[in-house]
Amino acid sequence: MSVYPIHRGRRIRSSKQMRNLVSETHLSADDFIYPLFVTHEKHIQKEIPSMPGCYQESIDYAVAEAQEVKELGIPAIILFGIPKTKDTTGSDAYCETGVVQEAIREIKKRVKDILVIADLCMCEYTSHGHCGIIDGGEVDNDKTLEYLSQIAVAQAKAGVDIVAPSGMMDGMVKAIRNGLDKNNFTGIPIMSYSSKYSSSFYGPFRDAAESTPQFGDRRSYQMDYRNAREAVAEALTDVEEGADIVMVKPALSYLDVIYRVKQATNLPVAAYNVSGEYSMIKAAARLGWLDEQSAMMEVLYSIKRAGADMILTYFAKQAAGILKIRN
Ligand code: PBG
């Protein structure tokens, strides 16, 4: 590009229409996936204190919210369950009457044309709060795989549209694909949380999902935030094992990782704009330190610009509302 005064960068920023014409990144409600926290309790909706606007809710409220999400033009929800009882193997996650299975059945029955994704992990269902089976004080990778495969089949039987394993076990995608295929669910896609970091930005979620580990932390299975090449390796492994969509999580401190994963694979890339990223903006806005709407839109566009094809975000409804008015 030639230099000033032949070139003036400001020419293409001179009006809203001009800026729209040259904009490189587009965002729409179609890009969003909205998370819901479903509890086994009856007819209850409790706001999560650290996540204003998000709720722990019973299935009837979740059905109503799914309908609202659909009417905003958002194509998908992802479900997290808060079970009645937790045990060492997280049995509510794979039993037919588990909270997520019940929620999937109800939502699929009552809301037309919305994709129901189920988070596939054990941490919300185990008494120890870890994402797998504990043996000798450690999460046993290979024992956990059998359970993950069972959970996937239970979710598929309930009518789920996509399963989303988030436990960062080695071989999880392969085990789940095998389990689904053996049970004739060859058409159910796997959205793998392939590059999931051990992050302090999950704090508010763990309150919401009641999934804080009772001892230790998740650093022996979730990734170290100092690494990016490793995230690409993890994504490529999942592609080989049969993932249909790969994910980077969290999103905001990991825009470089989203970019790299996007370059390295031809599969759709999802990014999870996690609870702490949501709460930071909500909190700063409450204090009057940030303008909530514009900060939210800037963050969502940045994630898209980095290369995400879809964004899991607690802002989905709010942002879809704004995009509807703008378009
Ligand atoms: C694990 C899971 C976590 C999130 C989604 N799935 C938390 C964790 O690993 O502790 C975090 C989502 C968020 O913070 O918004 N099942």
Side-chain angles (χ1 to χ4, degrees):
M1 203 173 274
S2 48
V3 293
Y4 171 85
I6 296 170
H7 173 69
R8 287 178 186 268
R10 291 180 56 183
R11 288 187 198 116
I12 55 167
R13 293 173 212 141
S14 59
S15 67
K16 188 178 170 197
Q17 291 67 31
M18 191 72 83
R19 292 189 291 274
N20 284 348
L21 191 67
V22 301
S23 64
E24 298 173 30
T25 308
H26 301 278
L27 188 67
S28 88
D30 277 329
D31 302 322
F32 299 144
I33 297 169
Y34 187 63
L36 291 180
F37 299 100
V38 187
T39 147
H40 63 89
E41 289 164 90
K42 298 282 170 255
H43 201 61
I44 171 173
Q45 193 182 38
K46 278 190 287 198
E47 192 167 41
I48 300 152
S50 54
M51 300 174 71
C54 297
Y55 303 87
Q56 283 187 351
E57 60 196 7
S58 49
I59 294 175
D60 51 342
Y61 278 102
V63 167
E65 240 194 324
Q67 180 67 33
E68 185 193 343
V69 164
K70 179 202 133 159
E71 282 163 17
L72 282 161
I74 299 163
I77 53 170
I78 181 165
L79 300 179
F80 294 94
I82 302 146
K84 191 180 212 154
T85 48
K86 303 189 185 217
D87 53 31
T88 52
T89 66
S91 58
D92 196 88
Y94 53 84
C95 90
E96 196 190 325
T97 53
V99 59
V100 162
Q101 280 70 263
E102 301 275 19
I104 296 168
R105 276 191 292 270
E106 275 302 296
I107 296 170
K108 289 307 292 180
K109 189 159 84 187
R110 307 205 181 278
V111 187
K112 296 284 157 259
D113 303 322
I114 189 151
L115 293 171
V116 177
I117 305 173
D119 181 75
L120 198 172
C121 193
M122 294 169 69
C123 62
E124 296 128 63
Y125 309 93
T126 51
S127 39
H128 44 73
H130 277 284
C131 304
I133 300 295
I134 300 289
D135 195 358
E138 291 265 1
V139 175
D140 186 311
N141 192 87
D142 298 5
K143 274 190 196 147
T144 302
L145 295 182
E146 296 162 32
Y147 287 91
L148 296 182
S149 161
Q150 274 189 59
I151 300 171
V153 172
Q155 294 174 341
K157 283 185 179 157
V160 82
D161 294 298
I162 302 176
V163 294
S166 61
M168 285 298 277
M169 294 299 124
D170 293 325
M172 68 181 184
V173 173
K174 185 175 174 189
I176 290 167
R177 187 72 271 157
N178 282 342
L180 288 173
D181 289 357
K182 256 193 246 149
N183 288 275
N184 287 325
F185 294 113
T186 53
I188 303 289
I190 300 173
M191 169 191 280
S192 178
Y193 289 64
S194 17
S195 314
K196 177 174 177 183
Y197 287 85
S198 178
S199 169
S200 39
F201 291 102
Y202 305 150
F205 172 94
R206 290 182 186 171
D207 294 341
E210 300 174 5
S211 64
T212 306
Q214 298 305 300
F215 64 89
D217 54 40
R218 303 205 204 289
R219 277 183 285 189
S220 74
Y221 41 103
Q222 298 182 345
M223 281 188 54
D224 183 327
Y225 53 70
R226 291 173 292 190
N227 299 347
R229 284 195 304 155
E230 186 186 345
V232 173
E234 285 282 3
L236 294 179
T237 304
D238 282 4
V239 173
E240 257 178 65
E241 288 183 20
D244 299 278
I245 300 170
V246 292
M247 194 195 298
V248 175
K249 177 182 171 192
L252 207 43
S253 295
Y254 301 87
L255 296 176
D256 58 324
V257 178
I258 297 173
Y259 183 81
R260 290 196 201 203
V261 168
K262 184 63 177 276
Q263 305 302 308
T265 138
N266 292 322
L267 291 187
V269 175
Y272 203 136
N273 177 216
V274 301
S275 56
E277 298 171 342
Y278 174 82
S279 305
M280 281 194 300
I281 292 183
K282 289 282 173 186
R286 282 199 171 179
L287 288 166
W289 291 352
L290 270 183
D291 178 69
E292 178 170 333
Q293 273 196 10
S294 49
M296 165 183 80
M297 294 313 274
E298 187 173 336
V299 162
L300 295 172
Y301 270 102
S302 309
I303 297 169
K304 197 77 201 291
R305 191 195 62 231
D309 297 293
M310 61 195 91
I311 307 172
L312 296 90
T313 178
Y314 306 97
F315 284 123
K317 291 199 294 178
Q318 208 179 334
I322 291 172
L323 291 165
K324 216 176 194 172
I325 302 164
R326 281 197 194 163
N327 291 338

